[in-house]
Amino acid sequence: QKISNIRTDGCVGPETMSPLGMKDEKSTRKKQTRVITLESGIKIKGLTSSQKQVTDMIFRKYSDSGLSVNIAAAAVVNGVKESALKNYLVGDGGNSVGLFQLHRGSKRRPFWQSAGLNPNVAAETHKQFRERCIKQGLPPGGYKCSVRSTGMEEFAKERESAGDWRFNPEKNTEAIINIEVKRGAGRRLRAADKAGASIPELAAIFSRDIERPADKEGNMQKRRKKAIAMFGDVRFGNKV
């Protein structure tokens, strides 16, 4: 299946829109390189305690969906680069939300309706997010406001209660699994995993085919490098 919704610039426009947004690749801070053991027994470097909890959830969701531990690891790498695994992070000018930065689409072409996202609710999230950024004297572009604005976790809870499930980390993860990874967009990812690709290679393919950033090659390299730093240049067994 040919993917046509590939972004061509830093900000998603009506002609280069993808259902997945992406934050600036710069990290909010350097994390200490410490080794953490996940509930599955897998060792991973560089996570905080809260990130570990989210990572354990992601591994469970991928396992429950019949996907390998290696694809789950690739997803975690991309989640770290997209949102630092923060469920409340909003990017792309208020359009993209949550762990995997799910983009709301447009009024003419809304995304994620098959997963139950009401376009009007998503539009209201966009509107309110930009308003709160401006009110706090922050640029409404998304990422910087998300990490500097006060009350973002409360905002996320309010919008989730209003029906924007993208702020829910489990539902955000389930959506990307069921609508992206397990369908046509994930075909090459699943084939590479079946052929025995390493986690860094799978992380790069996940970036290219699932997240679909504008700079495909550049982000593939960055996420490949991040995967090596987190897991090593390895491949695990197929069961968590």
Side-chain angles (χ1 to χ4, degrees):
Q1 178 179 332
K2 185 178 179 181
I3 300 171
S4 59
N5 299 328
I6 299 176
R7 287 167 288 175
T8 58
D9 53 23
C11 296
V12 177
E15 294 181 358
T16 60
M17 196 172 295
S18 166
L20 296 163
M22 185 185 70
K23 77 170 185 67
D24 189 325
E25 283 293 345
K26 293 181 181 179
S27 301
T28 57
R29 61 179 179 176
K30 283 190 175 181
K31 297 181 177 62
Q32 294 180 347
T33 304
R34 57 172 181 159
V35 178
I36 290 177
T37 302
L38 301 177
E39 63 182 23
S40 60
I42 289 174
K43 296 185 183 299
I44 184 172
K45 292 181 180 178
L47 295 184
T48 64
S49 297
S50 60
Q51 287 175 321
K52 176 191 179 298
Q53 293 178 7
V54 175
T55 297
D56 281 329
M57 178 276 292
I58 292 172
F59 270 88
R60 287 195 302 271
K61 292 293 182 183
Y62 275 75
S63 178
D64 292 345
S65 297
L67 295 164
S68 82
V69 68
N70 299 291
I71 293 180
V76 169
V77 172
N78 277 270
V80 168
K81 297 300 285 183
E82 288 292 318
S83 68
L85 299 180
K86 298 181 187 296
N87 71 294
Y88 59 80
L89 195 136
V90 179
D92 286 327
N95 290 305
S96 301
V97 170
L99 298 187
F100 294 100
Q101 290 293 279
L102 306 189
H103 197 291
R104 72 186 180 97
S106 65
K107 185 175 181 180
R108 180 175 294 181
R109 190 185 177 198
F111 295 142
W112 308 105
Q113 281 186 294
S114 62
L117 181 62
N118 185 321
N120 295 325
V121 170
E124 185 63 22
T125 294
H126 170 265
K127 176 176 176 287
Q128 289 190 23
F129 175 75
R130 293 181 69 85
E131 288 175 348
R132 69 180 284 109
C133 292
I134 292 170
K135 186 176 181 180
Q136 293 185 31
L138 295 166
Y143 176 64
K144 288 184 179 180
C145 181
S146 283
V147 297
R148 296 178 184 173
S149 174
T150 58
M152 275 303 299
E153 293 187 60
E154 290 76 13
F155 174 74
K157 291 177 182 177
E158 290 171 4
R159 294 311 303 154
E160 183 182 347
S161 296
D164 196 336
W165 53 259
R166 294 176 298 169
F167 287 103
N168 181 298
E170 294 194 1
K171 292 181 179 179
N172 195 292
T173 301
E174 290 168 357
I176 202 169
I177 289 173
N178 295 327
I179 295 176
E180 295 286 332
V181 177
K182 295 187 74 173
R183 294 187 184 179
R187 183 179 67 250
R188 288 182 291 184
L189 177 67
R190 299 192 307 272
D193 180 49
K194 188 175 181 180
S198 67
I199 292 171
E201 275 305 307
L202 293 173
I205 295 170
F206 194 106
S207 175
R208 181 192 68 198
D209 293 354
I210 305 301
E211 294 293 347
R212 304 194 286 280
D215 180 8
K216 291 186 290 184
E217 292 301 322
N219 279 286
M220 287 178 74
Q221 291 293 337
K222 289 175 182 178
R223 298 182 193 211
R224 186 182 289 113
K225 183 178 179 180
K226 184 65 173 178
I228 292 172
M230 292 174 67
F231 293 98
D233 194 2
V234 300
R235 175 181 174 81
F236 300 129
N238 286 332
K239 292 186 177 180
V240 178

